[in-house]
Amino acid sequence: MADATAPDAYARPFTPRFYEIDGQGVMFNMWYLGYVDEAMDGYLTHRGMPYAEWAELGLDVHLAHFEIDWRAPVRARDGFEVAVTTARIGKRSFTLDFAFRRGGEATATGSVVYVVVATDGSGPAPLPGRLVAALSPVAPLRGEETS
């Protein structure tokens, strides 16, 4: 598994907005996925495969799996960043690891599995070489089937 807590991971800074803070004074859990989506877009752009260009290739992605482990809360006006790294590249899917970091401390970590799909509605599609190159380098996982 890649380490999104590593200092060299792509990182996108954020500050929670007023309406994202719940009655307990912390960022409500549903907002985390939105921030991961924003960071994923920045990561792909940083790696030379901007999401805005996927339509030209006839491709899109569907989120297939999301997991998160919380370690510490993000509070109002806390500056934080979402760091992203590639964890796995399959034939029709890829996994990104992420870490919410505040002042060097990981407040939440997790991963997202994305399935590449054709925009014509025909279903899952193979990852194009350009996307594989953008997501690389990543070591293949031993004994695990790629989907």
Side-chain angles (χ1 to χ4, degrees), residues 11-56:
R12 168 97 158 61
F14 296 101
T15 302
R17 296 163 289 202
F18 173 79
Y19 61 85
E20 295 170 336
I21 304 302
D22 66 16
Q24 297 172 10
V26 300
M27 189 165 65
F28 188 64
N29 57 37
M30 70 176 244
W31 296 110
Y32 282 79
L33 185 54
Y35 282 112
V36 167
D37 241 15
E38 284 284 324
M40 176 265 237
D41 180 55
Y43 179 67
L44 291 172
T45 299
H46 175 74
R47 301 296 298 247
M49 185 74 185
Y51 182 73
E53 296 177 10
W54 289 43
E56 298 169 15

Side-chain angles (χ1 to χ4, degrees), residues 47-138:
R47 301 296 298 247
M49 185 74 185
Y51 182 73
E53 296 177 10
W54 289 43
E56 298 169 15
L57 301 173
L59 300 173
D60 204 343
V61 290
H62 288 174
L63 191 147
H65 180 79
F66 176 74
E67 64 182 59
I68 187 168
D69 293 307
W70 283 276
R71 298 177 179 168
V74 171
R75 299 188 185 282
R77 295 179 294 285
D78 276 354
F80 67 93
E81 63 185 9
V82 178
V84 182
T85 57
T86 300
R88 184 188 64 81
I89 302 171
K91 293 178 183 172
R92 298 176 187 270
S93 66
F94 61 95
T95 304
L96 299 180
D97 284 347
F98 63 87
F100 283 71
R101 302 187 300 205
R102 180 187 56 224
E105 170 196 18
T107 62
T109 58
S111 64
V112 183
V113 177
Y114 297 96
V115 175
V116 175
V117 295
T119 55
D120 66 6
S122 60
L127 273 70
R130 184 173 165 206
L131 178 57
V132 171
L135 293 170
S136 296
V138 66

